[in-house]
Amino acid sequence: MDRGRAGGDRRADRRGVGTAGPLDGRGLARPGGGLPAARAAGAALVVDASQSAGAVPLDVREVRPDFLFAVGYKWLLGPFGLGYLYVDPAHHGGRPLEENWIVRRDARDFSRLVDYRDAYQDGARRFDVGQRTAFELTPMAVAALEQMNAWTPSGVARALARHTALIGEAALAAGWTVPEPRGPHMLGVHLPADVRPRLLEYLEARGIHTAARGDALRISPHMHTTDEDVDRLTAAFRRHH
């Protein structure tokens, strides 16, 4: 929670709490234990769910974020270029960052676009990005969301937790560090300096896709990941420990 400048200057006072997935790949999915204190201080809760939306259950009725946003292309399997934003109704009267025509009231009525309005659309629609129509992207996003709804976030979490548990056990058996706590859908493996370049080269040569983050290896399976894929990765761990 950021209280702005010391000394209690209300003009500089900005309070907020946010969450995001750590760079080492632990997949933080829920706001931390400081939330009650943040609420008491009048802080706004802004949740970056990009690393967990779709793979970890998150109920806005429970968390009660002021704003929650996520990119569409990670766990939600959508295309680049579209993202998602939830705005608590208490902020529906706010002023958007973008002053574009499509967020104005009755903008869907193209026959009256010459009758420009200052009033925004009702609800969270006023916060939409310009050029939101995206005919080439929206059908892909819809199809992805339909698939995610069929799987459900809890179903995805259960399926991926089994894979990440096996991968984590193999990393620990190799003597490497796997930070906890983490989400069920991804993990970070901290590698010794002498192991890291050899393992990365080995994985790349065999089409085993991971993401290097500093001295850590971020491993993010999804529903297309098979038991055989996990076996290939853990075998590489055993080979390089």
Side-chain angles (χ1 to χ4, degrees):
M1 182 167 59
D2 179 7
R3 289 183 174 272
R5 289 202 303 257
D9 185 344
R10 298 294 296 179
R11 292 172 299 175
D13 198 6
R14 295 292 183 273
R15 295 186 174 96
V17 175
T19 70
L23 291 180
D24 65 5
R26 284 175 286 175
L28 181 66
R30 292 184 178 274
L35 182 54
R39 291 291 192 195
L45 176 62
V46 181
V47 178
D48 178 356
S50 298
Q51 296 288 3
S52 55
V56 178
L58 195 156
D59 190 339
V60 295
R61 294 168 297 185
E62 174 190 348
V63 179
R64 296 187 299 115
D66 292 271
F67 301 90
L68 183 147
F69 62 92
V71 297
Y73 64 87
K74 288 182 178 287
W75 301 97
L76 295 173
L77 298 180
F80 285 99
L82 291 183
Y84 303 97
L85 172 68
Y86 167 84
V87 181
D88 184 91
H91 301 290
H92 283 185
R95 182 175 179 180
L97 293 176
E98 288 197 32
E99 297 286 356
N100 62 78
W101 68 269
I102 205 167
V103 303
R104 305 293 175 177
R105 186 169 296 168
D106 299 326
R108 293 173 63 90
D109 184 358
F110 276 46
S111 67
R112 298 186 61 195
L113 288 184
V114 293
D115 301 325
Y116 197 80
R117 294 161 176 78
D118 291 329
Y120 301 112
Q121 292 195 38
D122 294 331
R125 274 295 190 182
R126 67 179 58 202
F127 299 106
D128 262 337
V129 67
Q131 298 183 354
R132 71 183 185 208
T133 310
F135 291 115
E136 77 284 12
L137 300 178
T138 302
M140 290 186 277
V142 170
L145 291 176
E146 289 173 344
Q147 179 61 74
M148 296 307 301
N149 281 334
W151 282 334
T152 75
S154 58
V156 173
R158 285 193 301 270
L160 300 188
R162 186 173 67 86
H163 285 328
T164 57
L166 292 172
I167 296 168
E169 290 168 5
L172 292 172
W176 305 333
T177 302
V178 180
E180 295 284 351
R182 62 174 179 82
H185 57 310
M186 66 168 69
L187 72 162
V189 177
H190 287 268
L191 303 171
D194 61 324
V195 171
R196 184 179 182 277
R198 291 188 290 110
L199 178 60
L200 289 175
E201 182 179 1
Y202 182 89
L203 296 177
E204 182 177 0
R206 285 154 182 81
I208 302 173
H209 301 287
T210 60
R213 295 290 187 271
D215 68 342
L217 194 65
R218 190 180 76 175
I219 302 164
S220 309
H222 211 315
M223 298 294 279
H224 54 264
T225 303
T226 65
D227 291 343
E228 290 75 18
D229 293 330
V230 175
D231 289 343
R232 292 174 64 213
L233 178 60
T234 55
F237 286 2
R238 291 191 295 272
R239 182 185 179 94
H240 288 83
H241 79 278

